[in-house]
Amino acid sequence: MERTPKALKVLTWLTSAVFIVALYLVLIWAPQEAIMGDVQRVFYFHVAAGWVGALAFLVTAIVGGIYLARGEQRWDRIAVASVEIGVVFTFINIVTGSIWARPIWNTWWTWDPRLVTATIMLLIYIAYIMLRQGIEDPDRRARFGAVYGIVGFISVPITFASIRIFRTIHPVVVGSSDPTALGAFDMNAEMRVAFFFSLFTFTLIYITLLWYRLRLQQQKEKIEERKLTALSS
Amino acid sequence: MMFQEGPADTLNYMIAGYAVILGTIGLYIVNIILRFRSLRQDEALLDEIEAGQA
């Protein structure tokens, strides 16, 4: 098995260090929100996780398009790796949102447009992973994944825009906020630093995980090829 | 929360939120490590089979 590249090792250490700094910023450095109290601190990583989910699904759609144009398997590898990471972070986004909602909205769950569209988006990409596993032929599987990744991406801008175009109680923290939203707040300078640093940290985490996940996919394909050769000889 | 005097005591929810975040990311990393380990075992087995055939 190939050794871990030095650049990936450096990136892993850098990401770990940046993550520790981000934890310090959101848990200690950023001030406590005046009304919601400590639960507001969940917001920093909640939004960052949602951002990684959207970014991962965008990458899947882009590499899907490239795969359809060029037909090279490496683009499909990136797509499947990216979807898996996107699903993990979208899950974090939804669950942390629910935990935040309990003391602020007085409920774990409500059928709000943002919550519904985010959950549908998560289910769409879980289905992507499950449906892929049912296709044996690698070319057909990659073609299916590419088309699904592009069409499925429609759910991402809908989820993003849902709190801006529908009547909702979900706060819009970045951009104009509806005063009727429950849990809306204005970020001060420290909060803004913690927020944007969290976005940067989670982007680094995404890149690092994607690199590892890609290497895993490459190794898996090599082993499968060797297994087929061993069986046929 | 409309007539409260200070910030609400929501520390437990914050702890739960961060437990979910750190736990889920941690589990995913462990999952990737285990998949790498499983591939390494498969590779060692294939090496053995190929050495036996040679």
Side-chain angles (χ1 to χ4, degrees):
Chain A
M1 197 167 280
E2 286 169 25
R3 292 182 66 184
T4 310
K6 203 177 171 189
L8 181 54
K9 281 183 188 169
V10 171
L11 181 65
T12 308
W13 282 109
L14 178 73
T15 306
S16 308
V18 168
F19 186 64
I20 290 166
V21 175
L23 275 175
Y24 168 76
L25 288 180
V26 302
L27 294 176
I28 298 163
W29 193 73
Q32 190 188 49
E33 207 274 333
I35 298 166
M36 290 185 272
D38 286 317
V39 76
Q40 179 272 335
R41 295 180 196 275
V42 169
F43 146 84
Y44 302 109
F45 282 9
H46 163 75
V47 178
W51 153 248
V52 167
L55 175 68
F57 301 146
L58 173 67
V59 168
T60 301
I62 291 170
V63 296
I66 299 173
Y67 174 81
L68 289 178
R70 298 188 182 174
E72 295 164 353
Q73 281 293 330
R74 62 185 168 143
W75 301 109
D76 181 56
R77 264 183 229 130
I78 299 174
V80 72
S82 195
V83 163
E84 197 179 278
I85 297 165
V87 163
V88 169
F89 281 85
T90 305
F91 171 79
I92 289 174
N93 174 260
I94 292 172
V95 176
T96 53
S98 174
I99 291 168
W100 172 86
R102 181 65 187 90
I104 307 303
W105 291 349
N106 204 27
T107 181
W108 294 104
W109 181 264
T110 176
W111 295 102
D112 180 84
R114 167 53 72 85
L115 278 65
V116 173
T117 50
T119 306
I120 290 171
M121 182 177 76
L122 177 66
L123 293 175
I124 284 172
Y125 286 99
I126 288 174
Y128 171 100
I129 295 170
M130 291 170 75
L131 291 169
R132 271 185 70 101
Q133 287 171 349
I135 305 172
E136 291 275 321
D137 178 38
D139 288 331
R140 261 194 73 205
R141 188 169 56 214
R143 229 177 12 256
F144 163 81
V147 174
Y148 193 114
I150 294 165
V151 176
F153 183 71
I154 295 168
S155 63
V156 178
I158 291 173
T159 302
F160 177 78
S162 60
I163 50 174
R164 289 162 177 87
I165 52 178
F166 297 116
R167 194 183 158 87
T168 171
I169 59 166
H170 191 288
V172 183
V173 179
V174 180
S176 63
S177 186
D178 181 352
T180 59
L182 294 174
F185 64 99
D186 287 322
M187 280 192 281
N188 64 18
E190 283 102 341
M191 285 173 167
R192 236 174 263 135
V193 169
F195 173 66
F196 286 110
F197 196 84
S198 300
L199 289 185
F200 168 69
T201 305
F202 271 60
T203 308
L204 264 188
I205 293 174
Y206 166 70
I207 295 166
T208 311
L209 286 176
L210 184 68
W211 196 339
Y212 277 109
R213 185 60 187 79
L214 262 177
R215 292 186 73 246
L216 183 72
Q217 192 68 18
Q218 282 170 332
Q219 299 294 341
K220 190 181 162 195
E221 285 172 18
K222 273 185 195 166
I223 299 282
E224 274 170 10
E225 230 170 77
R226 281 183 67 188
K227 275 182 188 170
L228 281 175
T229 314
L231 279 172
S232 59
S233 62
Chain B
M1 286 189 179
M2 282 181 78
F3 303 107
Q4 68 187 39
E5 287 191 357
D9 180 15
T10 52
L11 180 67
N12 289 344
Y13 292 100
M14 186 202 81
I15 293 168
Y18 278 91
V20 167
I21 294 163
L22 299 177
T24 309
I25 294 174
L27 275 177
Y28 184 58
I29 291 169
V30 168
N31 175 269
I32 288 179
I33 291 168
L34 289 178
R35 282 193 276 176
F36 265 119
R37 195 172 289 176
S38 163
L39 284 178
R40 231 171 262 141
Q41 284 170 351
D42 284 357
E43 194 180 35
L45 190 67
L46 282 166
D47 286 343
E48 254 177 57
I49 292 169
E50 282 168 6
Q53 284 173 341

PDB file of all heavy atoms in Angstrom, chain B residues 21-51:
ATOM      1  N   ILE B  21     -21.046  17.002  17.239  1.00  0.00           N
ATOM      2  CA  ILE B  21     -20.090  17.433  16.207  1.00  0.00           C
ATOM      3  C   ILE B  21     -18.789  16.629  16.311  1.00  0.00           C
ATOM      4  O   ILE B  21     -18.353  15.996  15.336  1.00  0.00           O
ATOM      5  CB  ILE B  21     -19.793  18.950  16.333  1.00  0.00           C
ATOM      6  CG1 ILE B  21     -21.043  19.773  16.020  1.00  0.00           C
ATOM      7  CG2 ILE B  21     -18.641  19.359  15.415  1.00  0.00           C
ATOM      8  CD1 ILE B  21     -21.005  21.209  16.497  1.00  0.00           C
ATOM      9  N   LEU B  22     -18.200  16.621  17.511  1.00  0.00           N
ATOM     10  CA  LEU B  22     -16.907  15.941  17.679  1.00  0.00           C
ATOM     11  C   LEU B  22     -17.076  14.428  17.537  1.00  0.00           C
ATOM     12  O   LEU B  22     -16.241  13.757  16.934  1.00  0.00           O
ATOM     13  CB  LEU B  22     -16.295  16.294  19.044  1.00  0.00           C
ATOM     14  CG  LEU B  22     -16.004  17.787  19.259  1.00  0.00           C
ATOM     15  CD1 LEU B  22     -15.474  18.048  20.657  1.00  0.00           C
ATOM     16  CD2 LEU B  22     -14.993  18.303  18.234  1.00  0.00           C
ATOM     17  N   GLY B  23     -18.171  13.900  18.082  1.00  0.00           N
ATOM     18  CA  GLY B  23     -18.423  12.448  18.005  1.00  0.00           C
ATOM     19  C   GLY B  23     -18.609  11.981  16.570  1.00  0.00           C
ATOM     20  O   GLY B  23     -18.032  10.966  16.155  1.00  0.00           O
ATOM     21  N   THR B  24     -19.377  12.718  15.780  1.00  0.00           N
ATOM     22  CA  THR B  24     -19.650  12.293  14.400  1.00  0.00           C
ATOM     23  C   THR B  24     -18.387  12.378  13.541  1.00  0.00           C
ATOM     24  O   THR B  24     -18.080  11.434  12.799  1.00  0.00           O
ATOM     25  CB  THR B  24     -20.774  13.155  13.771  1.00  0.00           C
ATOM     26  OG1 THR B  24     -21.880  13.174  14.660  1.00  0.00           O
ATOM     27  CG2 THR B  24     -21.210  12.608  12.429  1.00  0.00           C
ATOM     28  N   ILE B  25     -17.654  13.490  13.678  1.00  0.00           N
ATOM     29  CA  ILE B  25     -16.408  13.618  12.897  1.00  0.00           C
ATOM     30  C   ILE B  25     -15.422  12.517  13.338  1.00  0.00           C
ATOM     31  O   ILE B  25     -14.789  11.862  12.503  1.00  0.00           O
ATOM     32  CB  ILE B  25     -15.779  15.023  13.068  1.00  0.00           C
ATOM     33  CG1 ILE B  25     -16.694  16.093  12.461  1.00  0.00           C
ATOM     34  CG2 ILE B  25     -14.392  15.093  12.415  1.00  0.00           C
ATOM     35  CD1 ILE B  25     -16.250  17.532  12.693  1.00  0.00           C
ATOM     36  N   GLY B  26     -15.334  12.295  14.660  1.00  0.00           N
ATOM     37  CA  GLY B  26     -14.441  11.251  15.189  1.00  0.00           C
ATOM     38  C   GLY B  26     -14.810   9.873  14.656  1.00  0.00           C
ATOM     39  O   GLY B  26     -13.944   9.111  14.216  1.00  0.00           O
ATOM     40  N   LEU B  27     -16.094   9.561  14.663  1.00  0.00           N
ATOM     41  CA  LEU B  27     -16.561   8.255  14.161  1.00  0.00           C
ATOM     42  C   LEU B  27     -16.224   8.086  12.682  1.00  0.00           C
ATOM     43  O   LEU B  27     -15.844   7.000  12.236  1.00  0.00           O
ATOM     44  CB  LEU B  27     -18.071   8.119  14.355  1.00  0.00           C
ATOM     45  CG  LEU B  27     -18.544   7.618  15.719  1.00  0.00           C
ATOM     46  CD1 LEU B  27     -20.068   7.606  15.767  1.00  0.00           C
ATOM     47  CD2 LEU B  27     -18.014   6.217  16.007  1.00  0.00           C
ATOM     48  N   TYR B  28     -16.386   9.161  11.922  1.00  0.00           N
ATOM     49  CA  TYR B  28     -16.099   9.080  10.482  1.00  0.00           C
ATOM     50  C   TYR B  28     -14.609   8.828  10.250  1.00  0.00           C
ATOM     51  O   TYR B  28     -14.234   8.031   9.387  1.00  0.00           O
ATOM     52  CB  TYR B  28     -16.552  10.370   9.777  1.00  0.00           C
ATOM     53  CG  TYR B  28     -16.378  10.314   8.276  1.00  0.00           C
ATOM     54  CD1 TYR B  28     -17.007   9.315   7.530  1.00  0.00           C
ATOM     55  CD2 TYR B  28     -15.569  11.208   7.602  1.00  0.00           C
ATOM     56  CE1 TYR B  28     -16.837   9.231   6.154  1.00  0.00           C
ATOM     57  CE2 TYR B  28     -15.398  11.135   6.232  1.00  0.00           C
ATOM     58  CZ  TYR B  28     -16.031  10.144   5.519  1.00  0.00           C
ATOM     59  OH  TYR B  28     -15.855  10.055   4.153  1.00  0.00           O
ATOM     60  N   ILE B  29     -13.760   9.495  11.041  1.00  0.00           N
ATOM     61  CA  ILE B  29     -12.306   9.287  10.906  1.00  0.00           C
ATOM     62  C   ILE B  29     -11.953   7.834  11.267  1.00  0.00           C
ATOM     63  O   ILE B  29     -11.192   7.176  10.553  1.00  0.00           O
ATOM     64  CB  ILE B  29     -11.526  10.309  11.784  1.00  0.00           C
ATOM     65  CG1 ILE B  29     -11.689  11.723  11.198  1.00  0.00           C
ATOM     66  CG2 ILE B  29     -10.044   9.949  11.870  1.00  0.00           C
ATOM     67  CD1 ILE B  29     -11.213  12.844  12.091  1.00  0.00           C
ATOM     68  N   VAL B  30     -12.542   7.336  12.352  1.00  0.00           N
ATOM     69  CA  VAL B  30     -12.292   5.936  12.758  1.00  0.00           C
ATOM     70  C   VAL B  30     -12.749   4.984  11.647  1.00  0.00           C
ATOM     71  O   VAL B  30     -12.065   4.015  11.309  1.00  0.00           O
ATOM     72  CB  VAL B  30     -13.015   5.624  14.100  1.00  0.00           C
ATOM     73  CG1 VAL B  30     -13.018   4.133  14.391  1.00  0.00           C
ATOM     74  CG2 VAL B  30     -12.350   6.374  15.243  1.00  0.00           C
ATOM     75  N   ASN B  31     -13.894   5.287  11.051  1.00  0.00           N
ATOM     76  CA  ASN B  31     -14.428   4.471   9.962  1.00  0.00           C
ATOM     77  C   ASN B  31     -13.454   4.417   8.775  1.00  0.00           C
ATOM     78  O   ASN B  31     -13.206   3.351   8.208  1.00  0.00           O
ATOM     79  CB  ASN B  31     -15.790   5.040   9.550  1.00  0.00           C
ATOM     80  CG  ASN B  31     -16.376   4.328   8.352  1.00  0.00           C
ATOM     81  OD1 ASN B  31     -16.150   4.733   7.217  1.00  0.00           O
ATOM     82  ND2 ASN B  31     -17.106   3.263   8.610  1.00  0.00           N
ATOM     83  N   ILE B  32     -12.875   5.565   8.426  1.00  0.00           N
ATOM     84  CA  ILE B  32     -11.895   5.609   7.323  1.00  0.00           C
ATOM     85  C   ILE B  32     -10.649   4.789   7.695  1.00  0.00           C
ATOM     86  O   ILE B  32     -10.146   4.001   6.883  1.00  0.00           O
ATOM     87  CB  ILE B  32     -11.515   7.072   6.976  1.00  0.00           C
ATOM     88  CG1 ILE B  32     -12.691   7.759   6.273  1.00  0.00           C
ATOM     89  CG2 ILE B  32     -10.279   7.126   6.075  1.00  0.00           C
ATOM     90  CD1 ILE B  32     -12.452   9.214   5.899  1.00  0.00           C
ATOM     91  N   ILE B  33     -10.178   4.924   8.929  1.00  0.00           N
ATOM     92  CA  ILE B  33      -8.988   4.173   9.379  1.00  0.00           C
ATOM     93  C   ILE B  33      -9.265   2.665   9.298  1.00  0.00           C
ATOM     94  O   ILE B  33      -8.443   1.887   8.815  1.00  0.00           O
ATOM     95  CB  ILE B  33      -8.598   4.585  10.824  1.00  0.00           C
ATOM     96  CG1 ILE B  33      -8.074   6.024  10.837  1.00  0.00           C
ATOM     97  CG2 ILE B  33      -7.546   3.644  11.400  1.00  0.00           C
ATOM     98  CD1 ILE B  33      -7.926   6.637  12.220  1.00  0.00           C
ATOM     99  N   LEU B  34     -10.452   2.253   9.751  1.00  0.00           N
ATOM    100  CA  LEU B  34     -10.804   0.820   9.734  1.00  0.00           C
ATOM    101  C   LEU B  34     -10.877   0.286   8.305  1.00  0.00           C
ATOM    102  O   LEU B  34     -10.474  -0.845   8.034  1.00  0.00           O
ATOM    103  CB  LEU B  34     -12.137   0.580  10.452  1.00  0.00           C
ATOM    104  CG  LEU B  34     -12.110   0.753  11.973  1.00  0.00           C
ATOM    105  CD1 LEU B  34     -13.491   0.533  12.562  1.00  0.00           C
ATOM    106  CD2 LEU B  34     -11.117  -0.223  12.619  1.00  0.00           C
ATOM    107  N   ARG B  35     -11.400   1.119   7.384  1.00  0.00           N
ATOM    108  CA  ARG B  35     -11.473   0.684   5.980  1.00  0.00           C
ATOM    109  C   ARG B  35     -10.083   0.548   5.375  1.00  0.00           C
ATOM    110  O   ARG B  35      -9.825  -0.371   4.609  1.00  0.00           O
ATOM    111  CB  ARG B  35     -12.351   1.659   5.183  1.00  0.00           C
ATOM    112  CG  ARG B  35     -13.839   1.409   5.438  1.00  0.00           C
ATOM    113  CD  ARG B  35     -14.707   2.130   4.438  1.00  0.00           C
ATOM    114  NE  ARG B  35     -14.933   3.511   4.832  1.00  0.00           N
ATOM    115  CZ  ARG B  35     -15.605   4.394   4.079  1.00  0.00           C
ATOM    116  NH1 ARG B  35     -16.064   4.044   2.911  1.00  0.00           N
ATOM    117  NH2 ARG B  35     -15.789   5.618   4.507  1.00  0.00           N
ATOM    118  N   PHE B  36      -9.166   1.455   5.737  1.00  0.00           N
ATOM    119  CA  PHE B  36      -7.770   1.346   5.287  1.00  0.00           C
ATOM    120  C   PHE B  36      -7.158   0.048   5.830  1.00  0.00           C
ATOM    121  O   PHE B  36      -6.475  -0.674   5.118  1.00  0.00           O
ATOM    122  CB  PHE B  36      -6.942   2.542   5.790  1.00  0.00           C
ATOM    123  CG  PHE B  36      -6.825   3.666   4.789  1.00  0.00           C
ATOM    124  CD1 PHE B  36      -7.314   4.931   5.066  1.00  0.00           C
ATOM    125  CD2 PHE B  36      -6.206   3.464   3.563  1.00  0.00           C
ATOM    126  CE1 PHE B  36      -7.213   5.973   4.156  1.00  0.00           C
ATOM    127  CE2 PHE B  36      -6.099   4.507   2.643  1.00  0.00           C
ATOM    128  CZ  PHE B  36      -6.598   5.758   2.937  1.00  0.00           C
ATOM    129  N   ARG B  37      -7.423  -0.239   7.104  1.00  0.00           N
ATOM    130  CA  ARG B  37      -6.857  -1.433   7.745  1.00  0.00           C
ATOM    131  C   ARG B  37      -7.384  -2.700   7.065  1.00  0.00           C
ATOM    132  O   ARG B  37      -6.621  -3.629   6.811  1.00  0.00           O
ATOM    133  CB  ARG B  37      -7.236  -1.423   9.237  1.00  0.00           C
ATOM    134  CG  ARG B  37      -6.409  -2.397  10.051  1.00  0.00           C
ATOM    135  CD  ARG B  37      -6.676  -2.226  11.517  1.00  0.00           C
ATOM    136  NE  ARG B  37      -6.125  -0.987  12.035  1.00  0.00           N
ATOM    137  CZ  ARG B  37      -6.291  -0.568  13.287  1.00  0.00           C
ATOM    138  NH1 ARG B  37      -7.002  -1.280  14.128  1.00  0.00           N
ATOM    139  NH2 ARG B  37      -5.747   0.550  13.700  1.00  0.00           N
ATOM    140  N   SER B  38      -8.669  -2.690   6.762  1.00  0.00           N
ATOM    141  CA  SER B  38      -9.274  -3.854   6.108  1.00  0.00           C
ATOM    142  C   SER B  38      -8.646  -4.066   4.713  1.00  0.00           C
ATOM    143  O   SER B  38      -8.368  -5.214   4.321  1.00  0.00           O
ATOM    144  CB  SER B  38     -10.778  -3.627   5.999  1.00  0.00           C
ATOM    145  OG  SER B  38     -11.341  -4.473   5.076  1.00  0.00           O
ATOM    146  N   LEU B  39      -8.392  -2.975   3.995  1.00  0.00           N
ATOM    147  CA  LEU B  39      -7.750  -3.084   2.674  1.00  0.00           C
ATOM    148  C   LEU B  39      -6.324  -3.611   2.803  1.00  0.00           C
ATOM    149  O   LEU B  39      -5.866  -4.393   1.976  1.00  0.00           O
ATOM    150  CB  LEU B  39      -7.733  -1.717   1.976  1.00  0.00           C
ATOM    151  CG  LEU B  39      -9.050  -1.232   1.375  1.00  0.00           C
ATOM    152  CD1 LEU B  39      -8.871   0.150   0.755  1.00  0.00           C
ATOM    153  CD2 LEU B  39      -9.564  -2.192   0.320  1.00  0.00           C
ATOM    154  N   ARG B  40      -5.638  -3.200   3.863  1.00  0.00           N
ATOM    155  CA  ARG B  40      -4.264  -3.665   4.087  1.00  0.00           C
ATOM    156  C   ARG B  40      -4.256  -5.172   4.332  1.00  0.00           C
ATOM    157  O   ARG B  40      -3.391  -5.895   3.845  1.00  0.00           O
ATOM    158  CB  ARG B  40      -3.666  -2.922   5.287  1.00  0.00           C
ATOM    159  CG  ARG B  40      -2.302  -2.312   4.936  1.00  0.00           C
ATOM    160  CD  ARG B  40      -1.801  -1.413   6.017  1.00  0.00           C
ATOM    161  NE  ARG B  40      -2.093  -0.030   5.714  1.00  0.00           N
ATOM    162  CZ  ARG B  40      -2.481   0.873   6.589  1.00  0.00           C
ATOM    163  NH1 ARG B  40      -2.669   0.537   7.830  1.00  0.00           N
ATOM    164  NH2 ARG B  40      -2.690   2.111   6.214  1.00  0.00           N
ATOM    165  N   GLN B  41      -5.264  -5.664   5.061  1.00  0.00           N
ATOM    166  CA  GLN B  41      -5.362  -7.108   5.318  1.00  0.00           C
ATOM    167  C   GLN B  41      -5.633  -7.861   4.021  1.00  0.00           C
ATOM    168  O   GLN B  41      -5.038  -8.908   3.764  1.00  0.00           O
ATOM    169  CB  GLN B  41      -6.488  -7.387   6.328  1.00  0.00           C
ATOM    170  CG  GLN B  41      -6.086  -7.026   7.752  1.00  0.00           C
ATOM    171  CD  GLN B  41      -7.256  -7.068   8.726  1.00  0.00           C
ATOM    172  OE1 GLN B  41      -8.416  -7.214   8.312  1.00  0.00           O
ATOM    173  NE2 GLN B  41      -6.973  -6.934   9.997  1.00  0.00           N
ATOM    174  N   ASP B  42      -6.535  -7.298   3.200  1.00  0.00           N
ATOM    175  CA  ASP B  42      -6.834  -7.906   1.895  1.00  0.00           C
ATOM    176  C   ASP B  42      -5.579  -7.968   1.028  1.00  0.00           C
ATOM    177  O   ASP B  42      -5.320  -8.962   0.354  1.00  0.00           O
ATOM    178  CB  ASP B  42      -7.908  -7.094   1.155  1.00  0.00           C
ATOM    179  CG  ASP B  42      -9.291  -7.335   1.715  1.00  0.00           C
ATOM    180  OD1 ASP B  42      -9.411  -8.169   2.636  1.00  0.00           O
ATOM    181  OD2 ASP B  42     -10.249  -6.684   1.251  1.00  0.00           O
ATOM    182  N   GLU B  43      -4.817  -6.876   1.070  1.00  0.00           N
ATOM    183  CA  GLU B  43      -3.594  -6.798   0.268  1.00  0.00           C
ATOM    184  C   GLU B  43      -2.583  -7.858   0.718  1.00  0.00           C
ATOM    185  O   GLU B  43      -1.957  -8.525  -0.121  1.00  0.00           O
ATOM    186  CB  GLU B  43      -2.982  -5.404   0.416  1.00  0.00           C
ATOM    187  CG  GLU B  43      -1.916  -5.116  -0.622  1.00  0.00           C
ATOM    188  CD  GLU B  43      -1.316  -3.721  -0.464  1.00  0.00           C
ATOM    189  OE1 GLU B  43      -1.181  -3.266   0.689  1.00  0.00           O
ATOM    190  OE2 GLU B  43      -1.008  -3.107  -1.486  1.00  0.00           O
ATOM    191  N   ALA B  44      -2.453  -8.030   2.038  1.00  0.00           N
ATOM    192  CA  ALA B  44      -1.513  -9.032   2.568  1.00  0.00           C
ATOM    193  C   ALA B  44      -1.938 -10.434   2.136  1.00  0.00           C
ATOM    194  O   ALA B  44      -1.105 -11.270   1.764  1.00  0.00           O
ATOM    195  CB  ALA B  44      -1.468  -8.927   4.092  1.00  0.00           C
ATOM    196  N   LEU B  45      -3.242 -10.678   2.157  1.00  0.00           N
ATOM    197  CA  LEU B  45      -3.775 -11.988   1.743  1.00  0.00           C
ATOM    198  C   LEU B  45      -3.501 -12.234   0.257  1.00  0.00           C
ATOM    199  O   LEU B  45      -3.079 -13.331  -0.141  1.00  0.00           O
ATOM    200  CB  LEU B  45      -5.278 -12.028   2.016  1.00  0.00           C
ATOM    201  CG  LEU B  45      -5.971 -13.370   1.867  1.00  0.00           C
ATOM    202  CD1 LEU B  45      -5.489 -14.334   2.938  1.00  0.00           C
ATOM    203  CD2 LEU B  45      -7.478 -13.213   1.959  1.00  0.00           C
ATOM    204  N   LEU B  46      -3.711 -11.196  -0.547  1.00  0.00           N
ATOM    205  CA  LEU B  46      -3.446 -11.318  -1.994  1.00  0.00           C
ATOM    206  C   LEU B  46      -1.959 -11.559  -2.256  1.00  0.00           C
ATOM    207  O   LEU B  46      -1.600 -12.355  -3.135  1.00  0.00           O
ATOM    208  CB  LEU B  46      -3.913 -10.048  -2.719  1.00  0.00           C
ATOM    209  CG  LEU B  46      -5.417  -9.940  -2.960  1.00  0.00           C
ATOM    210  CD1 LEU B  46      -5.789  -8.519  -3.356  1.00  0.00           C
ATOM    211  CD2 LEU B  46      -5.882 -10.902  -4.044  1.00  0.00           C
ATOM    212  N   ASP B  47      -1.108 -10.886  -1.483  1.00  0.00           N
ATOM    213  CA  ASP B  47       0.345 -11.096  -1.614  1.00  0.00           C
ATOM    214  C   ASP B  47       0.680 -12.568  -1.354  1.00  0.00           C
ATOM    215  O   ASP B  47       1.455 -13.178  -2.072  1.00  0.00           O
ATOM    216  CB  ASP B  47       1.115 -10.206  -0.627  1.00  0.00           C
ATOM    217  CG  ASP B  47       1.121  -8.746  -1.060  1.00  0.00           C
ATOM    218  OD1 ASP B  47       0.827  -8.484  -2.248  1.00  0.00           O
ATOM    219  OD2 ASP B  47       1.387  -7.873  -0.212  1.00  0.00           O
ATOM    220  N   GLU B  48       0.049 -13.125  -0.300  1.00  0.00           N
ATOM    221  CA  GLU B  48       0.282 -14.535   0.066  1.00  0.00           C
ATOM    222  C   GLU B  48      -0.161 -15.473  -1.048  1.00  0.00           C
ATOM    223  O   GLU B  48       0.550 -16.405  -1.423  1.00  0.00           O
ATOM    224  CB  GLU B  48      -0.511 -14.866   1.330  1.00  0.00           C
ATOM    225  CG  GLU B  48       0.343 -14.980   2.581  1.00  0.00           C
ATOM    226  CD  GLU B  48      -0.526 -15.244   3.794  1.00  0.00           C
ATOM    227  OE1 GLU B  48      -1.269 -16.234   3.797  1.00  0.00           O
ATOM    228  OE2 GLU B  48      -0.481 -14.422   4.733  1.00  0.00           O
ATOM    229  N   ILE B  49      -1.359 -15.221  -1.586  1.00  0.00           N
ATOM    230  CA  ILE B  49      -1.917 -16.061  -2.658  1.00  0.00           C
ATOM    231  C   ILE B  49      -1.017 -16.000  -3.884  1.00  0.00           C
ATOM    232  O   ILE B  49      -0.673 -17.028  -4.471  1.00  0.00           O
ATOM    233  CB  ILE B  49      -3.365 -15.624  -3.005  1.00  0.00           C
ATOM    234  CG1 ILE B  49      -4.295 -15.929  -1.840  1.00  0.00           C
ATOM    235  CG2 ILE B  49      -3.860 -16.313  -4.275  1.00  0.00           C
ATOM    236  CD1 ILE B  49      -5.670 -15.306  -1.960  1.00  0.00           C
ATOM    237  N   GLU B  50      -0.626 -14.777  -4.249  1.00  0.00           N
ATOM    238  CA  GLU B  50       0.227 -14.608  -5.441  1.00  0.00           C
ATOM    239  C   GLU B  50       1.592 -15.252  -5.246  1.00  0.00           C
ATOM    240  O   GLU B  50       2.158 -15.822  -6.172  1.00  0.00           O
ATOM    241  CB  GLU B  50       0.376 -13.113  -5.755  1.00  0.00           C
ATOM    242  CG  GLU B  50      -0.869 -12.556  -6.450  1.00  0.00           C
ATOM    243  CD  GLU B  50      -0.914 -11.034  -6.529  1.00  0.00           C
ATOM    244  OE1 GLU B  50       0.070 -10.386  -6.146  1.00  0.00           O
ATOM    245  OE2 GLU B  50      -1.949 -10.502  -6.967  1.00  0.00           O
ATOM    246  N   ALA B  51       2.127 -15.194  -4.022  1.00  0.00           N
ATOM    247  CA  ALA B  51       3.425 -15.827  -3.731  1.00  0.00           C
ATOM    248  C   ALA B  51       3.293 -17.349  -3.828  1.00  0.00           C
ATOM    249  O   ALA B  51       4.200 -18.029  -4.310  1.00  0.00           O
ATOM    250  CB  ALA B  51       3.893 -15.425  -2.341  1.00  0.00           C
TER     251      ALA B  51
END
